[in-house]
Amino acid sequence: MTDPWVALHASLLAAQSVFQRVMTAPRSSPLDRRISEMGFMSADIGVLFAETPGLFAGAASENTATLVEAIAGVFAGLKQAGSRTSGSDMEDIAAVCDMSETAISEFLSKITQAQSP
């Protein structure tokens, strides 16, 4: 089984790659670029969490889980915002937002299971 930290890290780095491609594509609309910038920054925060496993130790774990859930919420919001536009990159953005939400959900599930007695 893949370490949950490694899986989360890999998924969010992959998401950043897609967001970066959309941000720098000359054909991307300004809205596509803005949504991608927000997605890139959200993924970056998630990557920082994944690179700091100690954040889920002890008393800080509940607060950290709440923050990671908030990041998943940002991806849900970006996907919803993207669905209201007709930009050519919105399918890619929606897919990567969905992938990021799923990765975070799976991560939280695995971490919760590991911490249960």
Side-chain angles (χ1 to χ4, degrees):
M1 175 170 29
T2 304
D3 181 291
W5 296 97
V6 172
L8 178 64
H9 192 258
S11 293
L12 293 174
L13 286 176
Q16 281 187 312
S17 178
V18 173
F19 290 128
Q20 181 71 33
R21 180 187 53 77
V22 174
M23 287 186 318
T24 59
R27 63 175 170 64
S28 293
S29 72
L31 181 58
D32 290 357
R33 279 192 214 99
R34 178 59 67 189
I35 289 172
S36 292
E37 288 170 0
M38 289 184 279
F40 186 91
M41 289 183 280
S42 297
D44 202 33
I45 293 167
V47 166
L48 292 172
F49 277 123
E51 291 176 348
T52 315
L55 288 173
F56 274 88
S61 65
E62 186 175 318
N63 294 332
T64 303
T66 302
L67 291 172
V68 174
E69 289 169 352
I71 295 168
V74 170
F75 287 121
L78 292 174
K79 181 173 64 175
Q80 186 176 15
S83 71
R84 295 181 182 146
T85 69
S86 60
S88 60
D89 293 306
M90 281 299 124
E91 286 183 25
D92 291 341
I93 291 170
V96 78
C97 285
D98 193 45
M99 178 196 72
S100 298
E101 279 183 271
T102 300
I104 290 170
S105 177
E106 289 174 358
F107 169 79
L108 288 170
S109 176
K110 289 176 184 176
I111 290 298
T112 302
Q113 290 172 1
Q115 292 178 346
S116 295

